[in-house]
Amino acid sequence: MPLARLARSGDRTAVDVPKVQDEAIRDLRRAREDAISDLKDATFRLKAFLLRHDIRYTGRANWGPAHLRWLSAVVCPTPTQPIVLQAYVRAVHEHTERRQRLEQELHEPGQAWRLYPVVEALQAWRGVQCTVAVTLVAAMGALTRFATPRELMQCLGLVPSEYSSGEQRRQGAMTQAGNTHARRVLVEGAGASRYPAKVSRHLPLRLETQPTIIQDLSWQAQVRLCKRSRRLVSRGKHAHVVPGAIARELAGCMWAMAREVSITP
């Protein structure tokens, strides 16, 4: 009876139940995030070991071919320390290969996934490649299940927090609620809006299979987001605040694009 009364009054909130294949893609995405975390821990341990013994790399880029050759030629003062060094280096290589394998599997979910057309459409945005699109769709499910784009923004934790008392209303930082991984990749993708609007070298390859309406939405949103980013910077907004604001608008653009894509139930 209480559920019936709540349904009659409209106070019940619909919950999206993922299908078996949706949950499988989520597990693959979680495994990739775990591999990235393990790789960061392994690289931190290796750097800490080298710094403890005042062994410093003077090159430019870490983990490139030159850096790996330098690691193989490092000479430790005692016979025991090379064993530790090789163990740390081997752990970095293993986690790197594990992350690459999972990313390859994540990029090939297959045409059988019901949400794969949305993943392909979202890659029409500059800065939103396959990893970002799959992570977002796997975490949030069908974007059109949200009645308005603001509901999607709220679920991603990209809306300002609010502190109200009586007639006073004050807004604070982003709520940062919802899925952390989806919000992070979306903010990272929004970082491309700090550059002038243009069609990059790889973007036409992702757009050639999309209908005209998707291509038009992609260019219109890119111009809008680039202008918005420059306007926020000119107003003196902090460099860490601008990507979050752009990510909020990008989420709304993705919601509009998802409505143009047909998916199987």
Side-chain angles (χ1 to χ4, degrees):
M1 290 299 294
L3 294 178
R5 286 195 295 268
L6 291 175
R8 182 178 58 185
S9 62
D11 293 333
R12 292 182 61 189
T13 302
V15 177
D16 179 65
V17 180
K19 298 184 180 298
V20 175
Q21 194 173 15
D22 300 343
E23 191 61 35
I25 300 298
R26 288 184 180 182
D27 289 336
L28 186 59
R29 189 262 305 170
R30 295 186 186 106
R32 175 185 172 273
E33 297 289 343
D34 293 338
I36 293 176
S37 178
D38 294 340
L39 178 59
K40 289 181 179 179
D41 293 341
T43 56
F44 176 79
R45 296 188 188 101
L46 176 57
K47 289 181 178 179
F49 172 80
L50 295 174
L51 288 177
R52 283 199 303 268
H53 301 285
D54 199 23
I55 302 174
R56 303 176 185 273
Y57 178 60
T58 57
R60 292 186 176 180
N62 290 334
W63 314 116
H67 186 215
L68 296 178
R69 288 193 299 269
W70 174 81
L71 284 174
S72 62
V74 169
V75 178
C76 298
T78 66
T80 307
Q81 290 169 345
I83 300 176
V84 180
L85 175 62
Q86 292 303 319
Y88 285 146
V89 172
R90 186 165 58 252
V92 171
H93 288 314
E94 291 175 354
H95 291 309
T96 301
E97 294 175 357
R98 172 184 161 205
R99 185 203 63 187
Q100 293 174 350
R101 289 195 305 269
L102 292 171
E103 284 184 352
Q104 184 177 1
E105 294 295 333
L106 194 65
H107 291 179
E108 300 174 359
Q111 300 290 340
W113 189 27
R114 65 185 186 96
L115 298 177
Y116 190 72
V118 181
V119 173
E120 288 186 321
L122 294 185
Q123 294 181 61
W125 309 106
R126 186 177 65 169
V128 181
Q129 298 184 4
C130 186
T131 302
V132 178
V134 173
T135 301
L136 180 65
V137 176
M140 307 307 298
L143 303 184
T144 53
R145 68 186 178 91
F146 299 98
T148 62
R150 184 168 181 81
E151 292 184 4
L152 175 59
M153 300 172 191
Q154 291 175 346
C155 190
L156 288 169
L158 293 172
V159 295
S161 57
E162 183 176 332
Y163 303 89
S164 302
S165 177
E167 298 181 355
Q168 296 181 353
R169 179 174 180 268
R170 182 168 61 91
Q171 289 185 326
M174 292 190 306
T175 60
Q176 297 186 7
N179 191 282
T180 304
H181 301 309
R183 181 173 61 254
R184 177 178 56 80
V185 297
L186 193 60
V187 172
E188 290 177 355
S193 298
R194 65 181 183 272
Y195 303 110
K198 69 173 184 178
V199 179
S200 62
R201 181 166 56 93
H202 301 286
L203 190 57
L205 299 177
R206 306 201 298 263
L207 286 173
E208 61 183 4
T209 59
Q210 298 300 322
T212 305
I213 186 172
I214 298 296
Q215 299 181 19
D216 294 341
L217 285 173
S218 172
W219 176 249
Q220 294 172 5
Q222 184 179 159
V223 173
R224 172 183 174 180
L225 295 179
C226 290
K227 289 182 178 178
R228 174 68 171 167
S229 178
R230 291 197 300 269
R231 191 180 305 116
L232 291 174
V233 172
S234 63
R235 288 168 52 186
K237 294 295 182 179
H238 196 276
H240 293 167
V241 176
V242 175
I246 299 301
R248 180 167 57 249
E249 295 200 17
L250 180 59
C253 296
M254 288 181 170
W255 179 86
M257 180 174 286
R259 296 185 63 187
E260 304 296 335
V261 180
S262 59
I263 59 176
T264 56

